[in-house]
Each structure stands twice: as structure tokens, then as C-alpha cells.
Amino acid sequence: MARFFKHLLPFYLLTPLLLSCQEGGEAGDLFGQWRLSGSDTHYVSFSGSVTLFRCLDKGQVYGNFQHVGDSLFIQCFSVEGERRDTTIIEEAFGWKPMNNIRLKITTLDGDRLVVSSGQQMWSFCKY
């Protein structure tokens, strides 16, 4: 019986640590997959501090992001240095420059994300 409790004790000690971990980490309310409204091919995913931009007909690009207050800072990078990667971000999504994106978050709730830059706005729905 003592052996049983000896093996059970670490489980009870580690359970609060496991339960305190958040699924999205640093992503907070951004965590998950978002689809650009009005498009069936443009998606953005946030997890931890990593973002993934997918354009189904063009490819995908990874980046790092920071969510500070009502601002979203994104640094994209091209793994293979292809022009196609820059095209996905700068032309398909309309965010320039690819390696220094600064967006204002105007709406962020459970199923809607609206970001803006200057006079342009982009609306995303949770996917």
C-alpha cells in the first residue's frame, strides 16, 4: 500500500502545474485560427508567440508576434527566401513591409478580430 501512495504523490504535486498551463500561451485571446472575412483562402493562426499566414492558393508564411495593448506587432520570415512568401503577406493580406507589420486591434472577442493600419481594415472570423 505504501508503494501505491509513493507513486501517487508526484501525480498530486504536479497536477496543479499541469492545470495552470494555458493552451494558447502568450497568444491569449488571439489563440486559434482566423479566416479573413469574405475569403475562403486566407487564414491566420496564432499560438504562443508564433503566427502562421496561409493563403491556400499561394502557400504559407511563419512569423513571430507580440500583442501589446491594442497593438499587434508581427515579424514574418521567409524560410527559403522566396519572393512568393513576401507576396503572400504584402499582396494577399496587404500588410507591408513583411518583416515589420504594425496593426491596431479595433475588435477582439471570442469569434471576431478586426485590425487596422491607417485607413485600411481587415476583419477575421474564428475558424
Side-chain angles (χ1 to χ4, degrees):
M1 188 72 153
R3 282 182 149 173
F4 175 75
F5 287 111
K6 184 173 109 177
H7 294 289
L8 204 57
L9 183 62
F11 174 75
Y12 282 113
L13 293 176
L14 292 175
T15 299
L17 292 175
L18 295 173
L19 293 176
S20 68
C21 294
Q22 292 184 0
E23 195 173 287
E26 296 174 30
D29 292 338
L30 288 170
F31 177 75
Q33 296 183 33
W34 300 85
R35 180 180 56 85
L36 184 63
S37 297
S39 172
D40 288 333
T41 60
H42 296 71
Y43 297 88
V44 178
S45 301
F46 297 96
S47 180
S49 63
V50 177
T51 185
L52 171 66
F53 295 91
R54 285 185 303 140
C55 190
L56 297 182
D57 55 344
K58 292 182 175 38
Q60 60 188 21
V61 176
Y62 288 94
N64 293 319
F65 75 93
Q66 284 186 315
H67 177 196
V68 181
D70 67 348
S71 298
L72 183 59
F73 303 97
I74 304 171
Q75 300 287 332
C76 294
F77 49 89
S78 174
V79 175
E80 297 178 14
E82 295 183 11
R83 171 72 181 129
R84 170 185 59 96
D85 296 340
T86 303
T87 301
I88 291 171
I89 302 301
E90 293 185 356
E91 294 177 15
F93 284 93
W95 297 337
K96 296 179 182 179
M98 173 183 158
N99 59 357
N100 191 19
I101 301 167
R102 295 171 183 241
L103 301 169
K104 180 179 180 187
I105 298 174
T106 57
T107 303
L108 176 58
D109 58 33
D111 61 348
R112 190 166 165 229
L113 168 64
V114 179
V115 294
S116 64
S117 179
Q119 298 298 318
Q120 291 185 293
M121 290 188 106
W122 296 268
S123 180
F124 293 87
C125 299
K126 196 79 164 227
Y127 180 70

